[in-house]
Amino acid sequence: MSTLLVVMCGTSCIGAVAGGIGAFSLVRQQSLLGDAISHAALPGIATMFLYTQSTDPFVLMIGGGIAGCIGALLVMYIMRVTALKRDALLGIILSVFFGFGLVLKTIIQKRGIAHQAILGKFFFGNASTLLWGDIYMMLGVGVCLSVVLAALWHRFVLISFDRAHAHVLGFRVGVLDVVLTGMTVVAIVMGLHAVGVLLMSALLISPAAAMRQWTNSFVTLFWGAVLLGAASAAGGSYISSLGRNIPTGPVVVIVASCAVVISLLFGAQRGVLRGLSEVRYD
Amino acid sequence: MISVYVIVLAVACLVAVVCALPGTFLVVRGVALMSDAISHSVLLGIALFFLLTRSLDSPLLLVGAALAGVATVVATETIITTRCLRQDAAIGIVFPLFFSCGVLLISLFARDVHLDVDMVVLGEILFTPFHRLHLFGIDCGPYALWTLAGVLGLNLIFIVACYKELVLALFDGAYAHVTGFRPKLLYYVLMLCVSVTAVAAFDSVGSVVVVALMVTPAATAYLLADRLHVMLATSIGCALFAAVAGWWCAHIADVSVAGAIATTSGVLFLAVLCCAPRRGLFAHMLYRQEMRKERTLAIVAKYLAHHANKGVTDYAVARDLGWPLRRVRWARDRLSVQ
């Protein structure tokens, strides 16, 4: 029972943070950045492991975070100086970094079988091995992110909706962009070891996308995404604990996706059925 | 008996060419991450059809995977047409759902089978020479070579037969639709090609490196080419280079072949990004320097024209414009020479 509680608390924390940051990503049309960063973190984790020989998740996370930040910054920079579009660059960063991670993985493999299991865990995560210490660390990271978000809230909202206006008003749009992207990387990497690559990218997008169908106000979208992220993570963890051998990650993704489908169909502001029933005066 | 290494090299080259073809169209269209989405979603098709046929070698698995890929595209396009979500969010919602369903099915009903997710994601090219195709008791060679050659044939037939229509649909979809060319249908057939390619290739290199080979050579070619057929040829060339160089590096350093291929394609991209003739970073820097020089000369010339009757010192010009003395001196030297 206690294990279930730990897992539910841990995944809810991750879900809440991912949902909140995801609200910004949705508005900035950077939803797939989460997927790219999740994959790009792998070589960072492997390098950190080769460098420090430590299997402490927190240490490995720092490596993953650095790799993720490099990837995200490369995307932003290359977008600015060439005609290449964001989707192609995200695809390149995702696959090339991951490929390099595979190379490092085989190097680690040659040093002994026990070590390569570390990297395998990051792919699907290992929610069942969460400890209270991990929860405290994630809460700490969440609190730090919230403090930065609260301090720079208005600036972040402004650059998400109207970059030109922010630039004209004199805000350092480039710097704020980098900070917000950095926070996205931290939010994703923080959850990677617990829930894995695929789940993090889904948790970033799904709660925000679902909430978007119910509201036009960004504040409601943000808080709704936070709550929905926490709820779908906790619910998914609980459901996966009901059976034998059911992996947590995929169930949480399915729960979150169901929320999105329901919202798409029935959402108050933009749902499909609402659109069908409205009389159109075209 | 052909050496194992040569077979692995042949498979690597074939994978590279097969992926580069549809990848070019994806990059130009702006849906490069659809390749990532499809290569993850095919797991659901494979899992479903495996549970139906209970055999790993059945060709129905290929069919199931292709169907799953098309289903992903259909679902994504449906969400986009409702205009409730934009393209990137729509893609990012559909494929995790399909992939998770696939993983769940495998964990629940196919635990002890070799169909494990690691194989799908990572592949293993070194096994390809040993997995042979046996028809009527005759050893016809590596299974992977046959499937990849078949898929390459399909891709080539589609692209060559519908090339003009594809170009029209790609660059002017509205006009194509109005004149009756069915750009939507072409798009779905292209995505079908991507699905089949992903399935054929990930046995060898895994789903993520399939994405690398589809997107990175095409993006490299985007920086070098102006016309689509040149871009196609360049991306095939870049993909082949990445495959051969990657295979060679993996051979030397004894690391994962798939990972090495992905890494070399990225290194090639970086090199071209810096050195490309008109669109590369160095070219940009040189261009900006040229522009800066022209602007300097123009501004100083205008200033001097303004103050024509007075004898202006360099120092006065520098103070008025707020520039360093060196820059003004250089400009006046260049202007007096002309």
Side-chain angles (χ1 to χ4, degrees), chain A residues 29 31 35 81 84-85 87-88 92 95 98-100 102-103 106 110 198 205 209 213 245 253 257 270, chain B residues 30-32 36 84 86 88 93 95 99-100 122 208 212 215 219 253-256 259-260 263 281 284:
Chain A
Q29 299 188 44
S31 304
D35 194 29
V81 296
L84 279 169
K85 301 193 193 68
D87 63 300
I92 294 174
S95 49
F98 189 82
F100 185 56
L102 286 184
V103 170
T106 41
K110 290 195 291 192
L198 177 79
I205 307 177
Q213 315 308 320
N245 279 334
V253 173
S257 308
R270 288 169 128 211
Chain B
V31 285
D36 185 42
C84 293
R86 282 197 214 102
D88 54 331
I93 283 171
F95 86 86
F99 187 66
S100 299
L122 302 175
V208 180
V215 177
D254 190 25
V255 290
S256 150
T263 312
L281 293 180
H284 262 292

mmCIF file of all heavy atoms in Angstrom, chain A residues 29 31 35 81 84-85 87-88 92 95 98-100 102-103 106 110 198 205 209 213 245 253 257 270, chain B residues 30-32 36 84 86 88 93 95 99-100 122 208 212 215 219 253-256 259-260 263 281 284:
data_model
loop_
_atom_site.group_PDB
_atom_site.id
_atom_site.type_symbol
_atom_site.label_atom_id
_atom_site.label_comp_id
_atom_site.label_asym_id
_atom_site.label_seq_id
_atom_site.Cartn_x
_atom_site.Cartn_y
_atom_site.Cartn_z
ATOM 1 N N GLN A 29 3.232 26.705 -29.471
ATOM 2 C CA GLN A 29 3.307 25.721 -30.559
ATOM 3 C C GLN A 29 4.597 24.931 -30.516
ATOM 4 O O GLN A 29 5.181 24.636 -31.547
ATOM 5 C CB GLN A 29 3.182 26.409 -31.918
ATOM 6 C CG GLN A 29 1.853 27.109 -32.052
ATOM 7 C CD GLN A 29 1.637 27.617 -33.453
ATOM 8 O OE1 GLN A 29 1.914 26.901 -34.408
ATOM 9 N NE2 GLN A 29 1.133 28.815 -33.563
ATOM 10 N N SER A 31 4.753 21.935 -28.758
ATOM 11 C CA SER A 31 4.351 20.729 -28.043
ATOM 12 C C SER A 31 5.327 19.582 -28.235
ATOM 13 O O SER A 31 5.573 18.822 -27.323
ATOM 14 C CB SER A 31 2.974 20.277 -28.532
ATOM 15 O OG SER A 31 2.057 21.306 -28.383
ATOM 16 N N ASP A 35 8.936 15.713 -26.663
ATOM 17 C CA ASP A 35 9.360 14.443 -27.224
ATOM 18 C C ASP A 35 10.833 14.491 -27.608
ATOM 19 O O ASP A 35 11.608 13.581 -27.307
ATOM 20 C CB ASP A 35 8.482 14.145 -28.448
ATOM 21 C CG ASP A 35 8.614 12.716 -28.898
ATOM 22 O OD1 ASP A 35 8.893 11.850 -28.055
ATOM 23 O OD2 ASP A 35 8.428 12.464 -30.092
ATOM 24 N N VAL A 81 18.840 31.098 -37.949
ATOM 25 C CA VAL A 81 19.809 31.445 -38.998
ATOM 26 C C VAL A 81 19.578 30.738 -40.320
ATOM 27 O O VAL A 81 20.202 31.096 -41.310
ATOM 28 C CB VAL A 81 21.253 31.178 -38.550
ATOM 29 C CG1 VAL A 81 21.611 32.056 -37.396
ATOM 30 C CG2 VAL A 81 21.463 29.738 -38.214
ATOM 31 N N LEU A 84 15.346 26.272 -42.309
ATOM 32 C CA LEU A 84 14.813 25.000 -41.838
ATOM 33 C C LEU A 84 13.725 25.236 -40.810
ATOM 34 O O LEU A 84 13.813 26.145 -39.989
ATOM 35 C CB LEU A 84 15.925 24.161 -41.202
ATOM 36 C CG LEU A 84 16.803 23.413 -42.182
ATOM 37 C CD1 LEU A 84 18.002 22.850 -41.462
ATOM 38 C CD2 LEU A 84 16.031 22.296 -42.839
ATOM 39 N N LYS A 85 12.692 24.396 -40.846
ATOM 40 C CA LYS A 85 11.579 24.610 -39.940
ATOM 41 C C LYS A 85 11.753 23.811 -38.658
ATOM 42 O O LYS A 85 12.535 22.882 -38.581
ATOM 43 C CB LYS A 85 10.264 24.230 -40.635
ATOM 44 C CG LYS A 85 10.039 25.027 -41.885
ATOM 45 C CD LYS A 85 8.623 24.879 -42.392
ATOM 46 C CE LYS A 85 8.507 25.420 -43.792
ATOM 47 N NZ LYS A 85 9.233 24.615 -44.790
ATOM 48 N N ASP A 87 9.988 21.565 -37.129
ATOM 49 C CA ASP A 87 9.718 20.130 -37.053
ATOM 50 C C ASP A 87 10.912 19.320 -37.536
ATOM 51 O O ASP A 87 11.275 18.315 -36.918
ATOM 52 C CB ASP A 87 8.478 19.777 -37.881
ATOM 53 C CG ASP A 87 8.686 20.068 -39.340
ATOM 54 O OD1 ASP A 87 8.942 21.232 -39.686
ATOM 55 O OD2 ASP A 87 8.618 19.126 -40.151
ATOM 56 N N ALA A 88 11.562 19.777 -38.628
ATOM 57 C CA ALA A 88 12.727 19.045 -39.116
ATOM 58 C C ALA A 88 13.854 19.083 -38.088
ATOM 59 O O ALA A 88 14.520 18.073 -37.837
ATOM 60 C CB ALA A 88 13.194 19.646 -40.436
ATOM 61 N N ILE A 92 15.734 16.063 -36.161
ATOM 62 C CA ILE A 92 17.183 15.831 -36.209
ATOM 63 C C ILE A 92 17.739 15.683 -34.798
ATOM 64 O O ILE A 92 18.467 14.730 -34.497
ATOM 65 C CB ILE A 92 17.890 16.986 -36.930
ATOM 66 C CG1 ILE A 92 17.490 17.026 -38.392
ATOM 67 C CG2 ILE A 92 19.396 16.847 -36.803
ATOM 68 C CD1 ILE A 92 18.039 18.219 -39.117
ATOM 69 N N SER A 95 16.607 12.346 -33.115
ATOM 70 C CA SER A 95 17.170 11.087 -33.595
ATOM 71 C C SER A 95 18.693 11.059 -33.493
ATOM 72 O O SER A 95 19.264 10.028 -33.123
ATOM 73 C CB SER A 95 16.719 10.843 -35.025
ATOM 74 O OG SER A 95 16.930 11.999 -35.790
ATOM 75 N N PHE A 98 19.750 10.769 -29.851
ATOM 76 C CA PHE A 98 19.414 9.426 -29.375
ATOM 77 C C PHE A 98 20.371 8.406 -29.973
ATOM 78 O O PHE A 98 20.809 7.479 -29.285
ATOM 79 C CB PHE A 98 17.971 9.093 -29.752
ATOM 80 C CG PHE A 98 17.457 7.832 -29.129
ATOM 81 C CD1 PHE A 98 16.984 7.842 -27.836
ATOM 82 C CD2 PHE A 98 17.446 6.634 -29.828
ATOM 83 C CE1 PHE A 98 16.503 6.682 -27.251
ATOM 84 C CE2 PHE A 98 16.969 5.471 -29.255
ATOM 85 C CZ PHE A 98 16.498 5.506 -27.961
ATOM 86 N N GLY A 99 20.690 8.569 -31.273
ATOM 87 C CA GLY A 99 21.636 7.653 -31.905
ATOM 88 C C GLY A 99 22.985 7.696 -31.213
ATOM 89 O O GLY A 99 23.611 6.656 -30.959
ATOM 90 N N PHE A 100 23.451 8.909 -30.886
ATOM 91 C CA PHE A 100 24.709 9.029 -30.164
ATOM 92 C C PHE A 100 24.603 8.366 -28.799
ATOM 93 O O PHE A 100 25.558 7.738 -28.317
ATOM 94 C CB PHE A 100 25.076 10.513 -30.035
ATOM 95 C CG PHE A 100 26.409 10.731 -29.417
ATOM 96 C CD1 PHE A 100 27.542 10.149 -29.956
ATOM 97 C CD2 PHE A 100 26.552 11.500 -28.288
ATOM 98 C CE1 PHE A 100 28.775 10.325 -29.394
ATOM 99 C CE2 PHE A 100 27.789 11.696 -27.711
ATOM 100 C CZ PHE A 100 28.907 11.108 -28.263
ATOM 101 N N LEU A 102 22.836 5.766 -28.200
ATOM 102 C CA LEU A 102 22.971 4.328 -28.436
ATOM 103 C C LEU A 102 24.441 3.932 -28.528
ATOM 104 O O LEU A 102 24.848 2.879 -28.021
ATOM 105 C CB LEU A 102 22.271 3.931 -29.736
ATOM 106 C CG LEU A 102 20.755 3.895 -29.743
ATOM 107 C CD1 LEU A 102 20.262 3.400 -31.081
ATOM 108 C CD2 LEU A 102 20.233 3.000 -28.647
ATOM 109 N N VAL A 103 25.232 4.771 -29.199
ATOM 110 C CA VAL A 103 26.669 4.491 -29.306
ATOM 111 C C VAL A 103 27.292 4.432 -27.909
ATOM 112 O O VAL A 103 28.034 3.502 -27.567
ATOM 113 C CB VAL A 103 27.353 5.589 -30.162
ATOM 114 C CG1 VAL A 103 28.850 5.464 -30.084
ATOM 115 C CG2 VAL A 103 26.892 5.489 -31.597
ATOM 116 N N THR A 106 26.441 1.253 -26.093
ATOM 117 C CA THR A 106 27.237 0.069 -26.406
ATOM 118 C C THR A 106 28.618 0.155 -25.766
ATOM 119 O O THR A 106 29.199 -0.853 -25.381
ATOM 120 C CB THR A 106 27.377 -0.134 -27.917
ATOM 121 O OG1 THR A 106 27.602 1.111 -28.544
ATOM 122 C CG2 THR A 106 26.140 -0.776 -28.488
ATOM 123 N N LYS A 110 30.069 -2.599 -22.942
ATOM 124 C CA LYS A 110 31.311 -3.360 -22.973
ATOM 125 C C LYS A 110 31.994 -3.379 -21.621
ATOM 126 O O LYS A 110 32.905 -4.157 -21.393
ATOM 127 C CB LYS A 110 32.250 -2.777 -24.039
ATOM 128 C CG LYS A 110 31.739 -3.035 -25.443
ATOM 129 C CD LYS A 110 32.789 -2.798 -26.487
ATOM 130 C CE LYS A 110 33.106 -1.320 -26.594
ATOM 131 N NZ LYS A 110 33.922 -1.046 -27.795
ATOM 132 N N LEU A 198 8.576 8.244 -23.205
ATOM 133 C CA LEU A 198 7.315 8.421 -23.913
ATOM 134 C C LEU A 198 6.310 9.153 -23.053
ATOM 135 O O LEU A 198 5.599 10.061 -23.501
ATOM 136 C CB LEU A 198 6.757 7.050 -24.282
ATOM 137 C CG LEU A 198 5.412 7.172 -24.962
ATOM 138 C CD1 LEU A 198 5.607 7.546 -26.401
ATOM 139 C CD2 LEU A 198 4.658 5.881 -24.857
ATOM 140 N N ILE A 205 1.908 17.366 -23.225
ATOM 141 C CA ILE A 205 0.921 17.845 -24.194
ATOM 142 C C ILE A 205 -0.516 17.603 -23.755
ATOM 143 O O ILE A 205 -1.355 18.498 -23.852
ATOM 144 C CB ILE A 205 1.125 17.146 -25.553
ATOM 145 C CG1 ILE A 205 2.547 17.275 -26.021
ATOM 146 C CG2 ILE A 205 0.163 17.700 -26.567
ATOM 147 C CD1 ILE A 205 2.806 16.547 -27.284
ATOM 148 N N ALA A 209 -3.689 20.216 -23.769
ATOM 149 C CA ALA A 209 -4.568 20.097 -24.937
ATOM 150 C C ALA A 209 -6.000 19.829 -24.505
ATOM 151 O O ALA A 209 -6.947 20.361 -25.098
ATOM 152 C CB ALA A 209 -4.068 18.967 -25.841
ATOM 153 N N GLN A 213 -9.797 22.795 -24.571
ATOM 154 C CA GLN A 213 -11.140 22.681 -25.150
ATOM 155 C C GLN A 213 -12.215 23.223 -24.221
ATOM 156 O O GLN A 213 -13.378 23.297 -24.606
ATOM 157 C CB GLN A 213 -11.448 21.218 -25.487
ATOM 158 C CG GLN A 213 -10.331 20.477 -26.184
ATOM 159 C CD GLN A 213 -9.826 21.220 -27.387
ATOM 160 O OE1 GLN A 213 -10.600 21.793 -28.145
ATOM 161 N NE2 GLN A 213 -8.520 21.239 -27.562
ATOM 162 N N ASN A 245 1.473 -7.180 -13.322
ATOM 163 C CA ASN A 245 2.316 -6.960 -14.494
ATOM 164 C C ASN A 245 1.842 -5.883 -15.442
ATOM 165 O O ASN A 245 2.167 -5.930 -16.617
ATOM 166 C CB ASN A 245 2.412 -8.253 -15.333
ATOM 167 C CG ASN A 245 3.438 -9.176 -14.747
ATOM 168 O OD1 ASN A 245 4.364 -8.728 -14.090
ATOM 169 N ND2 ASN A 245 3.264 -10.456 -14.968
ATOM 170 N N VAL A 253 -0.528 7.243 -19.868
ATOM 171 C CA VAL A 253 -0.703 7.887 -21.180
ATOM 172 C C VAL A 253 -2.109 7.669 -21.686
ATOM 173 O O VAL A 253 -2.761 8.581 -22.205
ATOM 174 C CB VAL A 253 0.316 7.342 -22.206
ATOM 175 C CG1 VAL A 253 0.006 7.879 -23.589
ATOM 176 C CG2 VAL A 253 1.718 7.715 -21.812
ATOM 177 N N SER A 257 -4.804 10.476 -22.491
ATOM 178 C CA SER A 257 -5.341 10.590 -23.843
ATOM 179 C C SER A 257 -6.857 10.481 -23.856
ATOM 180 O O SER A 257 -7.524 11.153 -24.650
ATOM 181 C CB SER A 257 -4.750 9.507 -24.747
ATOM 182 O OG SER A 257 -3.364 9.510 -24.665
ATOM 183 N N ARG A 270 -14.655 24.564 -27.338
ATOM 184 C CA ARG A 270 -14.267 24.229 -28.705
ATOM 185 C C ARG A 270 -14.603 22.810 -29.098
ATOM 186 O O ARG A 270 -14.168 22.334 -30.114
ATOM 187 C CB ARG A 270 -12.753 24.364 -28.850
ATOM 188 C CG ARG A 270 -12.328 25.788 -28.853
ATOM 189 C CD ARG A 270 -10.840 25.813 -28.720
ATOM 190 N NE ARG A 270 -10.265 26.624 -29.779
ATOM 191 C CZ ARG A 270 -9.098 26.426 -30.301
ATOM 192 N NH1 ARG A 270 -8.366 25.446 -29.895
ATOM 193 N NH2 ARG A 270 -8.638 27.203 -31.235
ATOM 194 N N GLY B 30 6.867 19.776 -44.187
ATOM 195 C CA GLY B 30 6.848 20.339 -42.843
ATOM 196 C C GLY B 30 6.248 19.408 -41.806
ATOM 197 O O GLY B 30 5.864 19.857 -40.733
ATOM 198 N N VAL B 31 6.183 18.115 -42.096
ATOM 199 C CA VAL B 31 5.631 17.167 -41.130
ATOM 200 C C VAL B 31 6.674 16.106 -40.779
ATOM 201 O O VAL B 31 6.362 14.937 -40.673
ATOM 202 C CB VAL B 31 4.360 16.477 -41.664
ATOM 203 C CG1 VAL B 31 3.196 17.400 -41.634
ATOM 204 C CG2 VAL B 31 4.577 15.921 -43.042
ATOM 205 N N ALA B 32 7.917 16.547 -40.592
ATOM 206 C CA ALA B 32 8.997 15.588 -40.361
ATOM 207 C C ALA B 32 8.724 14.696 -39.162
ATOM 208 O O ALA B 32 9.082 13.519 -39.164
ATOM 209 C CB ALA B 32 10.304 16.344 -40.155
ATOM 210 N N ASP B 36 8.455 10.100 -36.880
ATOM 211 C CA ASP B 36 8.628 9.626 -35.517
ATOM 212 C C ASP B 36 7.330 9.030 -35.000
ATOM 213 O O ASP B 36 7.312 7.948 -34.401
ATOM 214 C CB ASP B 36 9.066 10.806 -34.630
ATOM 215 C CG ASP B 36 9.378 10.370 -33.220
ATOM 216 O OD1 ASP B 36 10.018 9.329 -33.048
ATOM 217 O OD2 ASP B 36 8.985 11.091 -32.286
ATOM 218 N N CYS B 84 -9.571 22.132 -33.366
ATOM 219 C CA CYS B 84 -9.503 22.308 -31.922
ATOM 220 C C CYS B 84 -8.059 22.325 -31.442
ATOM 221 O O CYS B 84 -7.745 22.872 -30.397
ATOM 222 C CB CYS B 84 -10.221 21.148 -31.221
ATOM 223 S SG CYS B 84 -11.976 21.133 -31.510
ATOM 224 N N ARG B 86 -3.719 22.394 -32.840
ATOM 225 C CA ARG B 86 -2.856 22.601 -33.990
ATOM 226 C C ARG B 86 -2.088 21.339 -34.323
ATOM 227 O O ARG B 86 -2.128 20.364 -33.596
ATOM 228 C CB ARG B 86 -1.900 23.766 -33.725
ATOM 229 C CG ARG B 86 -2.619 25.069 -33.902
ATOM 230 C CD ARG B 86 -1.647 26.220 -34.054
ATOM 231 N NE ARG B 86 -2.205 27.407 -33.437
ATOM 232 C CZ ARG B 86 -1.819 27.843 -32.250
ATOM 233 N NH1 ARG B 86 -0.878 27.252 -31.593
ATOM 234 N NH2 ARG B 86 -2.381 28.919 -31.744
ATOM 235 N N ASP B 88 1.079 20.304 -34.320
ATOM 236 C CA ASP B 88 2.074 19.673 -33.463
ATOM 237 C C ASP B 88 1.404 18.994 -32.267
ATOM 238 O O ASP B 88 1.784 17.886 -31.872
ATOM 239 C CB ASP B 88 3.109 20.699 -32.995
ATOM 240 C CG ASP B 88 2.477 21.891 -32.326
ATOM 241 O OD1 ASP B 88 1.334 22.230 -32.674
ATOM 242 O OD2 ASP B 88 3.112 22.486 -31.448
ATOM 243 N N ILE B 93 -0.427 13.824 -29.542
ATOM 244 C CA ILE B 93 -1.414 13.137 -28.725
ATOM 245 C C ILE B 93 -1.703 11.754 -29.267
ATOM 246 O O ILE B 93 -1.888 10.803 -28.515
ATOM 247 C CB ILE B 93 -2.702 13.976 -28.664
ATOM 248 C CG1 ILE B 93 -2.482 15.114 -27.704
ATOM 249 C CG2 ILE B 93 -3.870 13.141 -28.215
ATOM 250 C CD1 ILE B 93 -3.575 16.095 -27.717
ATOM 251 N N PHE B 95 0.156 9.566 -31.346
ATOM 252 C CA PHE B 95 1.090 8.434 -31.351
ATOM 253 C C PHE B 95 1.448 7.895 -29.966
ATOM 254 O O PHE B 95 1.642 6.678 -29.834
ATOM 255 C CB PHE B 95 2.327 8.730 -32.214
ATOM 256 C CG PHE B 95 3.458 9.448 -31.544
ATOM 257 C CD1 PHE B 95 4.423 8.756 -30.841
ATOM 258 C CD2 PHE B 95 3.583 10.819 -31.653
ATOM 259 C CE1 PHE B 95 5.473 9.414 -30.245
ATOM 260 C CE2 PHE B 95 4.625 11.483 -31.067
ATOM 261 C CZ PHE B 95 5.574 10.778 -30.352
ATOM 262 N N PHE B 99 1.110 3.930 -29.259
ATOM 263 C CA PHE B 99 2.290 3.210 -28.781
ATOM 264 C C PHE B 99 2.015 2.590 -27.418
ATOM 265 O O PHE B 99 2.388 1.445 -27.163
ATOM 266 C CB PHE B 99 3.471 4.177 -28.718
ATOM 267 C CG PHE B 99 4.785 3.527 -28.401
ATOM 268 C CD1 PHE B 99 5.365 2.647 -29.287
ATOM 269 C CD2 PHE B 99 5.453 3.808 -27.224
ATOM 270 C CE1 PHE B 99 6.579 2.049 -29.006
ATOM 271 C CE2 PHE B 99 6.666 3.222 -26.942
ATOM 272 C CZ PHE B 99 7.225 2.341 -27.837
ATOM 273 N N SER B 100 1.348 3.354 -26.533
ATOM 274 C CA SER B 100 1.057 2.817 -25.201
ATOM 275 C C SER B 100 0.132 1.624 -25.287
ATOM 276 O O SER B 100 0.302 0.641 -24.551
ATOM 277 C CB SER B 100 0.415 3.893 -24.330
ATOM 278 O OG SER B 100 1.281 4.961 -24.173
ATOM 279 N N LEU B 122 15.227 -0.287 -30.866
ATOM 280 C CA LEU B 122 16.657 -0.248 -31.113
ATOM 281 C C LEU B 122 17.098 -1.070 -32.318
ATOM 282 O O LEU B 122 18.097 -0.773 -32.927
ATOM 283 C CB LEU B 122 17.410 -0.727 -29.874
ATOM 284 C CG LEU B 122 17.097 0.089 -28.622
ATOM 285 C CD1 LEU B 122 17.781 -0.503 -27.414
ATOM 286 C CD2 LEU B 122 17.529 1.528 -28.803
ATOM 287 N N VAL B 208 13.957 4.754 -33.945
ATOM 288 C CA VAL B 208 14.457 6.124 -33.820
ATOM 289 C C VAL B 208 15.483 6.426 -34.905
ATOM 290 O O VAL B 208 15.527 7.532 -35.440
ATOM 291 C CB VAL B 208 15.073 6.356 -32.431
ATOM 292 C CG1 VAL B 208 15.589 7.768 -32.324
ATOM 293 C CG2 VAL B 208 14.039 6.101 -31.364
ATOM 294 N N ALA B 212 16.031 9.293 -37.932
ATOM 295 C CA ALA B 212 17.278 9.985 -38.266
ATOM 296 C C ALA B 212 17.530 9.915 -39.761
ATOM 297 O O ALA B 212 17.856 10.910 -40.387
ATOM 298 C CB ALA B 212 18.445 9.359 -37.515
ATOM 299 N N VAL B 215 14.890 12.132 -41.761
ATOM 300 C CA VAL B 215 14.854 13.590 -41.618
ATOM 301 C C VAL B 215 16.200 14.240 -41.876
ATOM 302 O O VAL B 215 16.286 15.244 -42.585
ATOM 303 C CB VAL B 215 14.356 13.966 -40.200
ATOM 304 C CG1 VAL B 215 14.385 15.454 -40.011
ATOM 305 C CG2 VAL B 215 12.968 13.418 -39.985
ATOM 306 N N ALA B 219 17.126 17.169 -44.485
ATOM 307 C CA ALA B 219 17.395 18.527 -44.011
ATOM 308 C C ALA B 219 18.730 19.018 -44.529
ATOM 309 O O ALA B 219 18.880 20.198 -44.874
ATOM 310 C CB ALA B 219 17.372 18.566 -42.477
ATOM 311 N N ALA B 253 35.278 1.151 -34.064
ATOM 312 C CA ALA B 253 35.176 1.410 -32.630
ATOM 313 C C ALA B 253 34.360 0.361 -31.893
ATOM 314 O O ALA B 253 34.228 0.418 -30.679
ATOM 315 C CB ALA B 253 34.550 2.788 -32.400
ATOM 316 N N ASP B 254 33.790 -0.585 -32.637
ATOM 317 C CA ASP B 254 32.990 -1.648 -32.041
ATOM 318 C C ASP B 254 31.837 -1.090 -31.209
ATOM 319 O O ASP B 254 31.693 -1.387 -30.022
ATOM 320 C CB ASP B 254 33.886 -2.560 -31.174
ATOM 321 C CG ASP B 254 33.148 -3.816 -30.746
ATOM 322 O OD1 ASP B 254 32.199 -4.207 -31.460
ATOM 323 O OD2 ASP B 254 33.477 -4.368 -29.683
ATOM 324 N N VAL B 255 31.031 -0.244 -31.849
ATOM 325 C CA VAL B 255 29.858 0.293 -31.174
ATOM 326 C C VAL B 255 28.616 -0.024 -32.008
ATOM 327 O O VAL B 255 28.720 -0.659 -33.049
ATOM 328 C CB VAL B 255 29.960 1.825 -30.993
ATOM 329 C CG1 VAL B 255 31.009 2.178 -29.989
ATOM 330 C CG2 VAL B 255 30.209 2.506 -32.314
ATOM 331 N N SER B 256 27.465 0.433 -31.527
ATOM 332 C CA SER B 256 26.211 0.151 -32.211
ATOM 333 C C SER B 256 26.211 0.747 -33.616
ATOM 334 O O SER B 256 26.483 1.935 -33.800
ATOM 335 C CB SER B 256 25.060 0.757 -31.392
ATOM 336 O OG SER B 256 24.003 1.119 -32.215
ATOM 337 N N GLY B 259 23.348 3.374 -34.103
ATOM 338 C CA GLY B 259 23.681 4.633 -33.440
ATOM 339 C C GLY B 259 24.750 5.400 -34.187
ATOM 340 O O GLY B 259 24.673 6.623 -34.331
ATOM 341 N N ALA B 260 25.748 4.657 -34.700
ATOM 342 C CA ALA B 260 26.825 5.321 -35.429
ATOM 343 C C ALA B 260 26.291 5.963 -36.705
ATOM 344 O O ALA B 260 26.701 7.073 -37.069
ATOM 345 C CB ALA B 260 27.929 4.321 -35.758
ATOM 346 N N THR B 263 24.519 9.106 -35.783
ATOM 347 C CA THR B 263 25.471 10.146 -35.383
ATOM 348 C C THR B 263 26.176 10.737 -36.596
ATOM 349 O O THR B 263 26.325 11.964 -36.690
ATOM 350 C CB THR B 263 26.509 9.566 -34.404
ATOM 351 O OG1 THR B 263 25.844 8.831 -33.393
ATOM 352 C CG2 THR B 263 27.312 10.672 -33.761
ATOM 353 N N LEU B 281 26.300 28.707 -42.267
ATOM 354 C CA LEU B 281 26.604 29.727 -41.270
ATOM 355 C C LEU B 281 27.760 30.608 -41.710
ATOM 356 O O LEU B 281 27.735 31.827 -41.532
ATOM 357 C CB LEU B 281 26.933 29.064 -39.927
ATOM 358 C CG LEU B 281 25.771 28.337 -39.264
ATOM 359 C CD1 LEU B 281 26.209 27.728 -37.953
ATOM 360 C CD2 LEU B 281 24.606 29.272 -39.029
ATOM 361 N N HIS B 284 26.647 32.972 -44.257
ATOM 362 C CA HIS B 284 25.894 34.051 -43.613
ATOM 363 C C HIS B 284 26.803 35.103 -43.027
ATOM 364 O O HIS B 284 26.572 36.305 -43.173
ATOM 365 C CB HIS B 284 25.048 33.478 -42.473
ATOM 366 C CG HIS B 284 23.633 33.238 -42.852
ATOM 367 N ND1 HIS B 284 22.745 34.247 -43.121
ATOM 368 C CD2 HIS B 284 22.959 32.108 -43.035
ATOM 369 C CE1 HIS B 284 21.587 33.723 -43.457
ATOM 370 N NE2 HIS B 284 21.685 32.425 -43.416
#
